[in-house]
Structure formats: structure tokens, C-alpha cells
Amino acid sequence: MEMKKMKRFKLLFSVLLILAVLLAACGGSNDVNNNENMNENMNENMNNEPAPEPTDVPEPTEVPEMYPTDGLAGTEITFWHAMSSGVNLEGMDALVAKFNAENEYGISVVAVSQGRQGDLETAINGAIATGELPNLTMGFPNGLTRWYDLGVIAGLSDYIADPMVGLSEDVLAGIYAGPYSSGTLADGTQVGIPMHQSAQVIFYNNSYAEDLGFAAPPATSEEFKAQACAAAEFNNSDDDAENDGTGGLVYYPDASFVSPWIWAFGGEYVTEDGSAYDLNNSAVYDVAVFLKDLFDNGCTLTTPSYPNPEVAARQALFAVSSTAGIPFQGYAMSDVESTDVWSTIPFPGPDGTLAVNSFGQMIGVIESNADQDLASWLFLKWLTSPETQSEWVGYTGYFPSQDGVDVGTRATDDPIWGGALELLAVGQGEPNLPAHGSVRGEIRSAFFAVIEAADGDAIQAILDELNQTAADLVAETE
């Protein structure tokens, strides 16, 4: 208790001492008083100054539209496409007529079929020479890239990003990466938007596989080899001599066949910036060795034409095909009255990576003048929108280039089409280098040579030569 009283006393004494010091300061020297008076005078002078006039806060101004659309009424644009006949042409004509009747801008589109894709490319090349070009054109990615390099095709990136006329985040995110990336140049410029897509997949006879003892499609390249070789062994050992040498994978190694194998093996065959080929790297080599191993073990076969009859007749367990070939495989099954169940499957890699080769016709805008270029973009945006894609799928059966497009009951009405639709999520696109058309042919030749190679060193030499040839072809286009 005494200690507590002593502490209180010391605290009280300290407070009194501080108060005394403060009071002494208030009665200090004249210098201090003069300083205080000076401060007071300064404060008075400052307070007597007139207050500044309030400035008007400017009204927020509207951000000017980069692409004003109010002057487009009466603008006519021409669209060249490769929908040459049947439901494809009928569907395209119907969609163009709908746009002309309903678009809010007063734009008029004249659609002209140039025949097949090769005919269209020939027409564009000829029009470049004469200067009598359309405003929009379909084209494969390497074609659009080549025409962009010639100053013919407009870059679309500014249109895409524009807050008024561009693509929404949801629409942009919904476009499948495979076909969209095919229209993206090394510097990020977008030169085309995919109209639709197909995919290079593997046709697989499920019933044949089940009879061989396999309950599910192969999930890895090792399982793929096991099933292909089991089919070949079965056909070689049964009582039917006519099917000897058949049963496995139909081997036709064009770029559409080789590319998804490379992706499934975790590789790529262009450089990281997309400006050159890289066709002799380890993943490409591993794919070449894998395919040669299938060949050496008698697990491949060749066919005189499209392999649909062989799949139907159980002479091929696997055949690589475009999804556009789905109806033809169905016809082949009907021709032999087969009741086998078949499906489309992806290309499986060693670690279970799955891939398919997504490709499709892009649409690009041909540079003309500001109004016609903008009108062309607005039509292109409408034509490739999810809503229009839904109608286009209904007409043609093409696969949409965007995820989430309403395909109606088609996927349930046609389970094989519906199964292929699900594979688009693992789709990747081939390079869009202008030389790719020529390089594709070199890839096919090289992979036919691979299966005849003596050993791994010979395979590597083939790929080295392929890579150099590809580099030379790229140089010719620069």
C-alpha cells in the first residue's frame, strides 16, 4: 500500500512540474511575443485575401467512337465464299438474306460462290492482279496470312477489341483455341475469324475392338499399339486369307495425320514465336519412331482410296479422317449391312495427352475504305456469332467454332456427331505460315520415307532434311 501511495505522489508531482513550465513560457521574452504578433499579422493578411473564384468542373465528354456506324446505310459489300452446292450453298444464301433484311445498319451483302476452296483461292489471286477484289473472303489460314503479307487482308485486332463494335469477352472466350489461333499471326495480329470447323480424328470400330478383348478405346499410344497389333494379328490368323495384312491402322501420313500425333506426344512443330518450322525436334522424332514401330510390326495397312470400306469390313480398326467424313463412314457401314458400333476418338500420346487437328475456313476482311471495311467487319461479326452459328450448324452439320453454341438436338439425334463435338475441346490448329501448303506435302513425303528408314539415325536424317526444306520454303515466301 505504501508503495502505491508513493507512486501516486510522484505522478502528481510530475504533472504539476510540467504545468509550471508551460505557464512560464506564456510569460516569456519580447522576442517570443514579437514572433507571435508577426504570425498573427500574417494570418490576418492571409485571411483578408479574397477567396479564389471557384472554377467550373468540366462536364465529362463522351469518348468518340472509333468506328461510327450511323453513316453505313446503303453500303454494299461483296463476299466471296466456297459453299458451292447443296445445303451449304442454300444455308449461306439464307443467312445472307437474313442479314440483309434485318441488320440495323442498312448494309447490303452480295454473296458470290466461287466453287470449291481451290477455286476461291485462284479467284482471289487473280483479283489481286486486277484489283477487282471483294470486301470479304473465305480462306484457309495460310492463304489469309499470305494475302495479309501482300497488303490485301486487313488486320482485325482493333475491330475485335473495340468497346462498341468488337467482340464481347464471353464471345471471344468461347471461340475454340485451335481454329482461332490459326488466324493469329506471330505478332498477335488477327487476320481471320473461323466460320466453322472440322477436325481430323480417328474412326474407331468399337465392336471390332470389343471382340478382340478391348473394352474401351486406347487412352495412350502404348494402348493404341496394343489394339492395332491385336487386330492385325487376328486378321492374319483367321480363316479368311483375303484379309491378311489388314486389321490395324490405315497409314496415310499427310500433315493432317502427323500433326495431332505430334501434339499428343507433347510437341509442336513450329518455333515458339510461330515464325518458322521445327520439324526435327525430339517430339517429332518420337512420333516418327512410334509410327515406324507400328509399320515394322505389321500393324498398319494402306488403302487404295478413302478407308471407310475397310473400317466397315473390319479390315481396319483405326482410320484417320476428317469429321466431314462421318456421313460417308455411315454409308459404308450400311453398304455391307454392318451392325458394328463405331465412333470418333482422339489421338492418344504416351502420357495420355489427347489431341485432334482442328481446322476450318476462316473469313477475312479485304482492305477497301473505312465504311466498307467496317461494314465487312459487322457482317463478319454477325455471321460468326453464336446465334448465327447455331443456324449454320442446323443447315450444314458443320461443327461450330465456338463453345456453347446451341446445336439443338443434333448431338443426341446423331451420337457419332455428338461424340466428335466433344473432341473439339482438345483441338489444335496447324501453322498459318504462307508456306504451309507446300510444307504439308513435304511432311507427307518425309513420313512415308520414315517407315522405310534403316534405323533411328536414318529417321533423324530424314527429319533434318525435312526441316531444312521447310525453312527454304518459308524463305521463298518472305
Side-chain angles (χ1 to χ4, degrees):
M1 290 292 290
E2 291 299 326
M3 290 295 294
K4 290 182 178 179
K5 288 179 180 179
M6 183 62 69
K7 288 181 178 179
R8 289 195 201 105
F9 176 77
K10 287 181 178 179
L11 179 61
L12 180 60
F13 179 79
S14 298
V15 171
L16 291 173
L17 181 62
I18 292 169
L19 288 173
V21 172
L22 293 174
L23 288 172
C26 290
S29 68
N30 290 333
D31 290 339
V32 173
N33 289 333
N34 290 337
N35 289 337
E36 289 179 354
N37 291 334
M38 186 183 298
N39 290 336
E40 289 175 5
N41 291 335
M42 289 177 62
N43 289 335
E44 287 177 7
N45 290 336
M46 292 177 65
N47 292 334
N48 289 335
E49 290 180 1
E53 293 292 330
T55 57
D56 293 334
V57 178
E59 293 291 327
T61 57
E62 293 185 6
V63 177
E65 291 185 47
M66 289 292 294
Y67 300 107
T69 60
D70 52 2
L72 295 179
T75 302
E76 182 176 283
I77 55 176
T78 303
F79 170 42
W80 287 5
H81 61 81
M83 301 293 106
S84 58
S85 62
V87 294
N88 293 350
L89 180 58
E90 292 171 12
M92 182 61 72
D93 287 345
L95 291 180
V96 170
K98 181 177 182 179
F99 178 82
N100 286 341
E102 299 179 2
N103 82 86
E104 62 187 281
Y105 313 105
I107 299 167
S108 178
V109 178
V110 177
V112 180
S113 172
Q114 293 292 343
R116 297 182 178 274
Q117 185 61 43
D119 301 324
L120 173 59
E121 292 201 7
T122 299
I124 290 290
N125 291 332
I128 291 172
T130 64
E132 298 177 356
L133 285 155
N135 300 102
L136 300 99
T137 183
M138 276 188 173
F140 286 127
N142 60 312
L144 293 185
T145 303
R146 183 173 66 253
W147 298 328
Y148 177 83
D149 289 344
L150 293 173
V152 174
I153 292 290
L156 301 178
S157 300
D158 289 344
Y159 289 126
I160 292 169
D162 187 79
M164 302 300 292
V165 302
L167 300 181
S168 70
E169 291 183 3
D170 288 344
V171 169
L172 193 57
I175 303 176
Y176 286 107
Y180 188 76
S181 66
S182 294
T184 309
L185 303 184
D187 65 359
T189 300
Q190 196 70 28
V191 296
I193 303 292
M195 171 70 185
H196 52 242
Q197 66 176 318
S198 297
Q200 203 77 359
V201 298
I202 299 173
F203 287 178
Y204 177 68
N205 190 321
N206 299 66
S207 298
Y208 184 19
E210 289 176 5
D211 288 346
L212 295 170
F214 300 102
T220 65
S221 53
E222 182 179 0
E223 292 179 6
F224 186 95
K225 177 186 175 182
Q227 293 200 21
C229 293
E233 181 180 0
F234 179 85
N235 283 12
N236 284 331
S237 60
D238 67 5
D239 295 332
D240 184 2
E242 292 185 2
N243 69 2
D244 289 355
T246 69
L249 166 68
V250 177
Y251 191 76
Y252 185 76
D254 61 2
S256 299
F257 174 108
V258 173
S259 298
W261 279 120
I262 294 172
W263 299 325
F265 272 64
E268 184 52 86
Y269 61 97
V270 289
T271 55
E272 189 173 349
D273 65 0
S275 64
Y277 287 94
D278 182 16
L279 281 158
N280 58 348
N281 63 52
S282 59
V284 180
Y285 175 84
D286 289 344
V287 168
V289 170
F290 168 72
L291 294 174
K292 177 171 171 54
D293 182 51
L294 288 176
F295 175 81
D296 287 347
N297 284 281
C299 308
T300 64
L301 69 150
T302 59
T303 61
S305 184
Y306 294 106
N308 307 114
E310 284 76 13
V311 173
R314 294 195 174 190
Q315 293 181 357
L317 180 60
F318 303 107
V320 175
S321 175
S322 165
T323 51
I326 287 175
F328 301 102
Q329 187 58 53
Y331 302 150
M333 305 298 281
S334 298
D335 287 344
V336 296
E337 299 182 351
S338 172
T339 59
D340 282 351
V341 174
W342 65 282
S343 63
T344 62
I345 64 171
F347 294 72
D351 63 355
T353 297
L354 304 176
V356 299
N357 186 353
S358 295
F359 54 88
Q361 284 154 322
M362 313 285 284
I363 300 178
V365 172
I366 293 176
E367 288 191 359
S368 177
N369 59 56
D371 283 350
Q372 287 191 316
D373 289 357
L374 177 57
S376 297
W377 161 251
L378 292 170
F379 173 63
L380 170 54
K381 175 185 173 183
W382 178 86
L383 189 62
T384 57
S385 68
E387 296 77 16
T388 309
Q389 288 233 327
S390 177
E391 293 186 58
W392 181 241
V393 170
Y395 281 119
T396 66
Y398 276 117
F399 290 93
S401 61
Q402 299 191 32
D403 188 20
V405 168
D406 182 6
V407 299
T409 62
R410 180 178 287 272
T412 52
D413 295 342
D414 184 350
I416 295 172
W417 190 93
L421 179 66
E422 295 178 1
L423 300 183
L424 301 181
V426 296
Q428 298 188 51
E430 290 186 33
N432 58 19
L433 290 164
H436 193 57
S438 299
V439 172
R440 284 176 57 88
E442 298 298 329
I443 290 172
R444 180 181 64 244
S445 298
F447 273 81
F448 269 124
V450 156
I451 60 175
E452 303 292 345
D455 53 28
D457 289 342
I459 290 176
Q460 188 63 60
I462 291 169
L463 298 180
D464 290 343
E465 182 179 358
L466 170 62
N467 199 56
Q468 183 58 55
T469 301
D472 293 341
L473 290 169
V474 169
E476 291 177 6
T477 65
E478 293 177 343

